[in-house]
C-alpha cells in the first residue's frame, strides 16, 4: 500500500495537469445531450434509492460480506461451516454437542472479510 | 562446492609438499598412485564427519526449539482481523479530519458513557476536530474542582480548555460495579495497546455475529465476538445503524460509525501523526536537495581532473646521452 501510493502521490503533485479540487467537480451532464434520457432514468432510480436510505440505512459491510460468503472463493469454507453446523445441531438433538463450529466460523469470517475489505472501504466515506 | 574447492586446494598443497613438479598432474587427476590413495580418503572422511556434525547439530536444534508450541486453541487466540485500506496509514496522507469530527461525535454519544478518554484535553481537540468556540462550549458544560476558597473548601468551576475530558466513572471499582465486574479500558491509547490496532478495533465493533456459531458456550453476561481473544467479551454490540445523526449527513451505518470512531481513536493515540509525516517529508526534501548539491559540487571539483588530457611529449632525438 505505502510505497506505490507514495510515488503516485508525488507524481500527481508535480505534474502540471493535475488539479486540486476544493469542491466537488461540476457535473458534466449538459455536455452529453445524447445520454440525457438515460441519465434522467438513472437519476430517478438514484432518488428512489436515496429515499429508501432515508428510511433505513443498510450497512455496506454486512451486505458485502454476505455476498462474499456466497462467492466462489469462499465456497469451500462455507461448505465446511454449514456442514459443521448441521453436524452439531444433530448432536444437540441427540443430547449435547460434542464440538463447536468456532474454527469453521473463523475461516468463513476470515474469507468473507478479506474479500469484502476493499469493497467496503469504497462504499464508506 | 565449498567443500570441494577446499579439498582441491589441500590436495594442491599436498602436491606442493611432495614436489612442485607434480602439482598440475595431481590437481587434474584424482587417482594418482597407490601410495597417495590414503590421503584423499582420510580427507573425505573428515569432510563427511564435519558435515554430518554440522547438519546433525542443526537437526537437533530444530528438534529442540524448532516447532513452536501453540498452547491455545484458535478460539482462545481470537480471529485475526483483516487488514483494511485505512487512508491515514499511507505515507503521504493525513487523517481525514471530517472523519475525526464524526468519530468524536460517536465517541461522545456512544462510548463516553462507559469508556474514559482521560489523556485528551479539550485544547488538543482545537484545530484538529473542533473550533475554539466549540471546544470552550464543550468544556464549560462540565464542572471541575477549582482553587480552594477562603475557607479552604474546593468549589466546582466550569471547565476550561486546559481540562481533560471527564471520565464516566469515579474510579475502577465504580466502573467494574456498573459493568458486571468488567472494566471498560481507557480509550486514549487503545489503538496502540492492541495487536492489530485500527483493524482490530474496527473488526471488534462490527464483528458481532447475529448468533454465536453452533455449539459455542457463551458465559452468562458475555457476548460472542470472534475477534476478542477467548471470543467471550463483556461489552455487548454497541453500534447499530442510524444510532447517531451526523451533521454532515453521512449515512450512519454501523461500519461507517465504527470506521470514524476508530480513526478518531487513532488520532487520540497518535495526535502528532500529521506533523510527523510533514516533518518526514521535510527530511526527504532536504536530503534530496543536499544530495543533488553534493553531486553538482563533486562534478565541479572533479572537472579539472576528468577533463585533463595527458600527452606524452617525447624530447627531441639527440645524440647526447643523459
Amino acid at each position: 500500500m505505502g510505497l506505490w501510493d507514495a510515488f503516485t502521490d508525488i507524481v500527481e503533485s508535480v505534474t502540471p495537469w493535475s488539479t486540486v479540487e476544493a469542491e466537488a467537480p461540476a457535473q458534466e451532464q449538459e455536455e452529453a445531450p445524447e445520454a440525457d434520457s438515460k441519465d434522467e432514468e438513472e437519476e430517478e432510480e438514484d432518488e428512489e434509492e436515496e429515499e429508501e436510505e432515508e428510511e433505513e440505512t443498510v450497512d455496506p459491510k454486512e451486505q458485502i460480506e454476505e455476498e462474499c460468503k456466497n462467492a466462489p472463493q469462499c465456497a469451500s469454507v462455507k461448505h465446511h461451516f454449514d456442514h459443521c453446523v448441521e453436524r452439531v445441531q444433530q448432536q444437540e438433538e441427540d443430547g449435547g454437542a460434542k464440538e463447536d463450529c468456532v474454527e469453521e466460523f473463523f475461516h468463513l469470517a476470515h474469507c468473507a472479510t478479506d474479500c469484502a475489505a476493499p469493497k467496503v472501504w469504497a462504499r464508506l466515506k | 562446492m565449498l567443500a570441494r574447492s577446499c579439498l582441491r586446494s589441500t590436495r594442491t598443497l599436498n602436491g606442493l609438499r611432495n614436489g612442485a613438479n607434480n602439482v598440475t598432474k595431481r590437481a587434474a587427476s584424482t587417482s594418482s598412485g597407490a601410495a597417495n590413495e590414503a590421503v584423499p580418503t582420510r580427507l573425505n572422511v573428515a569432510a563427511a564427519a564435519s558435515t554430518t556434525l554440522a547438519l546433525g547439530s542443526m537437526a537437533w536444534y530444530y528438534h529442540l526449539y524448532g516447532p513452536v508450541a501453540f498452547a491455545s486453541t484458535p478460539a482462545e487466540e481470537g480471529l485475526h482481523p483483516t487488514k483494511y485500506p485505512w487512508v491515514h496509514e499511507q505515507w503521504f496522507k493525513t487523517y481525514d479530519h471530517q472523519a475525526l469530527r464524526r468519530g468524536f461525535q460517536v465517541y461522545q454519544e456512544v462510548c463516553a458513557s462507559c469508556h474514559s478518554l482521560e489523556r485528551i484535553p479539550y485544547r488538543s481537540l482545537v484545530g484538529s476536530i473542533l473550533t475554539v468556540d466549540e471546544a470552550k462550549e464543550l468544556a464549560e458544560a462540565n464542572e471541575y474542582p477549582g482553587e480552594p476558597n477562603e475557607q479552604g473548601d474546593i468549589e466546582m468551576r466550569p471547565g476550561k480548555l486546559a481540562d481533560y475530558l471527564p471520565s464516566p466513572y469515579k474510579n475502577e471499582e465504580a466502573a467494574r460495579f456498573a459493568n458486571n465486574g468488567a472494566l471498560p479500558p481507557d480509550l486514549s491509547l487503545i489503538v496502540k495497546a492492541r495487536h492489530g490496532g485500527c483493524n482490530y478495533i474496527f473488526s471488534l465493533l462490527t464483528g458481532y455475529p447475529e448468533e454465536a456459531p453452533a455449539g459455542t458456550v457463551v458465559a452468562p453476561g458475555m457476548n460472542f465476538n470472534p475477534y476478542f481473544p477467548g471470543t467471550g467479551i463483556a461489552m455487548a454490540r454497541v453500534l447499530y445503524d442510524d444510532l447517531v445523526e451526523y451533521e454532515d449527513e453521512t449515512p450512519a451505518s454501523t461500519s461507517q460509525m465504527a470506521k470514524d470512531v476508530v480513526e478518531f481513536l487513532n488520532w487520540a493515540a497518535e495526535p502528532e501523526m500529521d506533523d510527523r509525516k510533514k516533518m518526514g517529508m521535510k527530511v526527504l526534501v532536504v536530503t534530496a536537495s543536499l544530495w543533488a548539491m553534493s553531486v553538482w559540487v563533486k562534478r565541479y571539483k572533479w572537472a579539472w581532473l576528468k577533463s585533463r588530457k595527458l600527452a606524452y611529449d617525447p624530447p627531441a632525438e639527440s645524440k647526447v646521452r643523459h
Side-chain angles (χ1 to χ4, degrees):
Chain A
M1 186 170 89
L3 199 59
W4 180 243
D5 283 338
F7 281 127
T8 47
D9 263 13
I10 292 176
V11 170
E12 265 174 27
S13 64
V14 295
T15 42
W17 54 87
S18 65
T19 48
V20 178
E21 279 148 5
E23 288 165 40
Q27 283 180 351
E28 293 172 18
Q29 266 169 6
E30 293 119 273
E31 286 171 30
E34 71 275 3
D36 252 0
S37 52
K38 229 185 185 180
D39 276 353
E40 269 165 35
E41 274 169 36
E42 273 172 28
E43 262 171 49
E44 274 167 30
E45 275 171 32
D46 280 349
E47 272 164 33
E48 273 168 34
E49 269 173 37
E50 268 167 38
E51 273 165 32
E52 271 171 37
E53 270 184 344
E54 264 168 41
E55 281 165 25
E56 206 174 274
T57 311
V58 267
D59 186 1
K61 183 169 183 273
E62 219 162 280
Q63 192 192 349
I64 296 170
E65 277 176 13
E66 199 54 45
E67 285 163 20
C68 278
K69 276 180 193 168
N70 296 315
Q73 75 239 55
C74 297
S76 91
V77 280
K78 177 143 178 27
H79 171 77
H80 284 301
F81 178 69
D82 288 345
H83 191 68
C84 173
V85 170
E86 225 170 80
R87 200 168 58 225
V88 171
Q89 276 167 353
Q90 188 59 44
Q91 288 168 5
E92 276 169 351
E93 276 169 29
D94 299 345
K98 296 187 204 73
E99 54 175 332
D100 60 38
C101 299
V102 171
E103 223 164 301
E104 287 81 358
F105 178 83
F106 276 17
H107 293 154
L108 178 58
H110 180 77
C111 179
T113 49
D114 235 20
C115 142
K119 298 178 199 160
V120 172
W121 243 240
R123 286 269 293 277
L124 294 178
K125 217 166 141 185
Chain B
M1 188 61 210
L2 182 71
R4 217 195 303 156
S5 52
C6 286
L7 281 179
R8 202 186 301 141
S9 62
T10 33
R11 221 182 289 137
T12 327
L13 272 181
N14 261 347
L16 270 178
R17 222 190 288 137
N18 292 352
N21 296 353
N22 291 335
V23 170
T24 37
K25 207 174 122 204
R26 283 272 157 70
S29 89
T30 34
S31 61
S32 51
N36 290 324
E37 198 81 316
V39 180
T41 316
R42 212 176 58 226
L43 281 171
N44 282 347
V45 168
S50 58
T51 311
T52 314
L53 179 70
L55 292 178
S57 65
M58 282 181 220
W60 192 27
Y61 177 86
Y62 181 78
H63 169 70
L64 286 179
Y65 301 109
V68 181
F70 284 108
S72 52
T73 64
E76 282 163 348
E77 170 104 0
L79 176 54
H80 290 218
T82 299
K83 207 166 160 4
Y84 287 94
W86 299 93
V87 169
H88 70 263
E89 284 180 356
Q90 295 174 25
W91 287 9
F92 290 88
K93 298 279 199 229
T94 62
Y95 289 115
D96 173 358
H97 286 252
Q98 193 63 34
L100 294 186
R101 214 178 141 90
R102 292 194 299 265
F104 180 58
Q105 185 187 349
V106 175
Y107 167 75
Q108 289 278 76
E109 290 183 20
V110 186
C111 321
S113 56
C114 296
H115 291 279
S116 56
L117 199 63
E118 60 186 20
R119 282 160 200 270
I120 307 297
Y122 292 104
R123 62 184 155 77
S124 69
L125 299 169
V126 175
S128 46
I129 293 175
L130 303 177
T131 64
V132 186
D133 294 331
E134 284 168 335
K136 275 187 182 162
E137 200 180 311
L138 197 66
E140 281 161 12
N142 290 295
E143 288 196 320
Y144 289 84
E147 298 283 304
N149 62 14
E150 66 261 33
Q151 288 166 17
D153 295 327
I154 291 186
E155 280 172 17
M156 301 301 274
R157 58 162 175 81
K160 299 184 284 192
L161 284 184
D163 288 313
Y164 284 73
L165 293 186
S167 302
Y169 304 109
K170 286 194 294 278
N171 45 45
E172 187 184 325
E173 284 69 19
R176 283 192 189 278
F177 185 70
N179 287 287
N180 272 326
L183 176 70
D186 183 76
L187 294 184
S188 317
L189 293 170
I190 199 80
V191 169
K192 288 185 173 180
R194 291 291 179 277
H195 273 289
C198 288
N199 296 323
Y200 167 68
I201 298 172
F202 177 80
S203 302
L204 187 79
L205 292 173
T206 54
Y208 292 88
E210 246 144 57
E211 54 185 68
T216 36
V217 186
V218 185
M222 292 298 215
N223 308 275
F224 180 86
N225 190 311
Y227 297 96
F228 191 70
T231 69
I233 183 169
M235 174 171 76
R237 178 174 171 177
V238 286
L239 293 177
Y240 291 93
D241 291 340
D242 293 320
L243 188 60
V244 303
E245 199 169 313
Y246 283 132
E247 57 179 8
D248 60 1
E249 288 171 358
T250 308
S253 59
T254 303
S255 38
Q256 181 69 52
M257 286 183 284
K259 179 171 182 265
D260 292 339
V261 80
V262 167
E263 188 156 348
F264 166 72
L265 291 177
N266 198 152
W267 170 85
E270 220 176 350
E272 78 287 357
M273 190 194 78
D274 287 354
D275 281 338
R276 185 157 48 76
K277 285 183 180 165
K278 193 172 158 196
M279 180 59 83
M281 191 140 179
K282 282 184 195 163
V283 169
L284 290 182
V285 169
V286 170
T287 43
S289 317
L290 287 178
W291 185 51
M293 267 164 67
S294 73
V295 170
W296 286 110
V297 168
K298 184 253 164 195
R299 279 174 65 94
Y300 173 73
K301 292 277 185 193
W302 282 68
W304 68 272
L305 193 66
K306 293 230 174 184
S307 57
R308 75 186 169 164
K309 186 172 173 187
L310 292 184
Y312 176 56
D313 197 3
E317 287 267 322
S318 85
K319 299 261 154 62
V320 188
R321 294 213 157 208
H322 294 290

